[in-house]
């Protein structure tokens, strides 16, 4: 049997096993030796602790641009890596062609980077070696126009925003993904509009959270079984008029959701059954509040039309203390914080740049520079080590 046929047969066996509820066992049998070997040969300098990755979302040929982070937090371009697919552009968008958060996800533990190719309906997997990326796989997203990707352990999920919205799950086996047909969920939203803002696991990996906008305007929570994938139907929290978009979890596991319809930040706790409890809303006083990121005990939300970041200190309760607004280049969109919380990197889509900020002890932001990302006007997707 040829290597190609052997790999195809092995993948088929795993997919069948996952479909009958043996996801973790199948993945472990297939991936463990390779994963152990990879971890054993991974050198400290390849930890990814001083890197930033930015997706161009170019409709001609999607790329991920790798940057090295200097000791002072500034970025230096080190490479441009093709995803093998194409970016996408939703009708009417200017600064945010995907109209989503989380189109690039970095698994630091396994040194893998996941990128959506909205124009090709695929997801690309890269192996990370410092600032060098090795393209491992390009696989169907299981739907139309993927815009957000998330992972926990050996599970990866992708949200597709068109065609009524859908979620597709995968099992990671070593460096590759295997699609699990039984982990597909249709959301049944308006087929003519962009439906999804973001998908993400809760910090403990027990639930998937999906924000829906346009016709939906809800926060959907899928409890996730270790073997069975997401629940058949989500627990839906309707937020009419709010237009929930991006979100981030604070250290207590609360969800901080940007509400583009009211230009505010809503706070929710997540119950064991997936039900959300509202804990308050704080207006930003800005326009097009759509993206959220945490850096230490701070929360920052991006206001695309205002060209600003609104900062908040997260207290021990559910309240947020305003830190003020910080100007960026035009079209403030997706953002990422360094793993130590000392630096914040913000995509600004009108000119295709990334603005660099130092995070002060009390959360104040100091601009330290900016880089132009090749072919990234309107691009979204950023991840930091």
């Amino acid at each position: 049997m040829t290597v190609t046929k052997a790999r195809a047969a092995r993948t088929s066996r795993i997919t069948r096993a996952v479909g009958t509820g043996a996801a973790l066992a199948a993945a472990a049998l297939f991936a463990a030796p390779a994963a152990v070997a990879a971890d054993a040969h991974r050198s400290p300098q390849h930890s990814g602790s001083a890197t930033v990755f930015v997706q161009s979302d170019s409709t001609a040929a999607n790329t991920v641009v790798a940057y090295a982070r200097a000791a002072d937090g500034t970025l230096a371009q080190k490479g441009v890596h093709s995803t093998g697919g194409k970016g996408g552009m939703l009708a009417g968008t200017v600064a945010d062609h995907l109209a989503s958060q989380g189109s690039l996800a970095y698994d630091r533990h396994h040194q893998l980077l996941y990128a959506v190719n909205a124009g090709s309906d695929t997801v690309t997997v890269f192996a990370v070696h410092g600032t060098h990326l090795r393209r491992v796989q390009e696989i169907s997203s299981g739907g139309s126009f993927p815009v957000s990707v998330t992972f926990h352990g050996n599970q990866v999920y992708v949200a597709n925003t068109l065609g009524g919205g859908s979620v597709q799950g995968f099992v990671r086996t070593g460096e590759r993904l295997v699609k699990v047909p039984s982990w597909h969920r249709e959301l049944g939203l308006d087929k003519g509009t962009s439906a999804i803002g973001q998908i993400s696991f809760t910090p403990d990996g027990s639930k998937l959270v999906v924000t829906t906008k346009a016709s939906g305007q809800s926060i959907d929570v899928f409890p996730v079984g270790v073997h069975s994938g997401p629940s058949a139907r989500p627990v839906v929290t309707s937020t009419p008029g709010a237009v929930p978009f991006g979100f981030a979890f604070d250290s207590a596991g609360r969800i901080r959701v940007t509400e583009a319809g009211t230009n505010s930040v809503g706070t929710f706790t997540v119950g064991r059954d997936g039900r959300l409890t509202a804990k308050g809303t704080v207006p930003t006083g800005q326009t097009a509040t759509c993206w959220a990121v945490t850096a230490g005990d701070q929360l920052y939300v991006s206001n695309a039309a205002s060209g600003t970041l609104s900062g908040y200190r997260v207290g021990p309760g559910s309240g947020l203390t305003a830190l003020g607004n910080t100007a960026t280049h035009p079209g403030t969109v997706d953002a990422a914080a360094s793993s130590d919380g000392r630096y914040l990197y913000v995509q600004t889509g009108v000119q295709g740049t990334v603005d660099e900020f130092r995070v002060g002890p009390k959360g104040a932001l100091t601009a330290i520079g900016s880089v132009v990302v090749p072919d990234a006007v309107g691009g979204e997707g950023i991840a930091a080590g």
Side-chain angles (χ1 to χ4, degrees):
M1 181 181 293
T2 66
V3 172
T4 301
K5 289 182 178 179
R7 176 178 291 173
R10 180 166 53 181
T11 299
S12 177
R13 290 196 300 272
I14 292 172
T15 303
R16 290 197 301 271
V18 169
T20 59
L24 297 185
L29 287 172
F30 180 80
V36 170
D39 289 340
H41 290 88
R42 188 170 291 129
S43 57
Q45 64 266 32
H46 289 165
S47 63
S49 61
T51 52
V52 173
F53 302 107
V54 184
Q55 181 171 244
S56 72
D57 191 46
S58 169
T59 55
N62 192 17
T63 57
V64 173
V65 185
Y67 294 88
R69 187 178 79 235
D72 64 357
T74 57
L75 301 180
Q77 183 178 319
K78 294 298 181 181
V80 179
H81 306 274
S82 171
T83 66
K86 295 181 179 180
M89 181 177 179
L90 292 167
T93 57
V94 178
D96 59 335
H97 290 171
L98 298 182
S100 68
Q101 178 170 316
S103 62
L104 195 66
Y106 180 25
D107 183 345
R108 296 183 184 93
H109 180 70
H110 297 101
Q111 291 294 282
L112 295 172
L113 186 71
Y114 303 106
V116 302
N117 301 301
S120 302
D121 296 339
T122 60
V123 178
T124 296
V125 183
F126 290 101
V128 179
H129 303 276
T131 56
H132 176 72
L133 301 180
R134 173 172 53 85
R135 191 171 73 211
V136 175
Q137 181 185 25
E138 185 184 359
I139 187 171
S140 168
S141 69
S144 178
F145 210 93
V147 294
S148 189
V149 58
T150 187
F151 63 88
H152 186 85
N154 71 338
Q155 298 184 51
V156 177
Y157 280 84
V158 177
N160 301 284
T161 200
L162 296 182
S166 66
V167 170
Q168 177 62 58
F170 304 79
V171 168
R172 178 187 56 80
T173 61
E175 295 180 335
R176 302 180 68 85
L177 299 181
V178 176
K179 183 162 62 177
V180 185
S182 63
W183 291 3
H184 182 90
R185 299 291 180 269
E186 294 287 340
L187 298 181
L189 302 169
D190 187 341
K191 292 186 177 181
T193 59
S194 172
I196 293 174
Q198 183 183 355
I199 185 171
S200 179
F201 275 102
T202 54
D204 65 0
S206 66
K207 301 170 187 68
L208 278 171
V209 180
V210 182
T211 49
T212 75
K213 40 199 176 68
S215 63
Q217 297 195 33
S218 65
I219 306 171
D220 297 356
V221 179
F222 290 89
V224 180
V226 175
H227 302 286
S228 58
S231 57
R233 293 180 179 83
V235 178
V236 178
T237 299
S238 181
T239 58
V243 191
F245 197 106
F247 57 91
F249 294 95
D250 63 23
S251 59
R254 294 172 294 232
I255 305 178
R256 310 289 185 167
V257 183
T258 57
E259 298 175 338
T262 55
N263 295 307
S264 58
V265 181
T267 298
F268 301 85
T269 57
V270 188
R272 294 185 63 181
D273 61 356
R275 297 184 184 276
L276 301 185
T277 300
K279 293 296 183 179
T281 302
V282 177
T284 64
Q286 304 294 290
T287 308
T289 302
C290 295
W291 295 265
V293 63
T294 54
D297 292 328
Q298 284 72 236
L299 171 76
Y300 301 94
V301 298
S302 299
N303 309 294
S306 299
T308 60
L309 292 165
S310 296
Y312 300 90
R313 177 171 290 279
V314 179
S318 59
L320 296 173
T321 301
L323 300 174
N325 299 313
T326 302
T328 70
H329 280 88
T332 320
V333 289
D334 215 346
S338 60
S339 56
D340 59 11
R342 296 176 58 194
Y343 301 102
L344 186 68
Y345 301 97
V346 186
Q347 287 180 290
T348 52
V350 171
Q351 299 174 0
T353 62
V354 169
D355 289 355
E356 309 157 347
F357 297 93
R358 182 184 303 111
V359 181
K362 296 183 178 180
L365 298 178
T366 301
I368 56 176
S370 181
V371 293
V372 177
V373 183
D375 299 318
V377 171
E380 287 175 293
I382 185 169

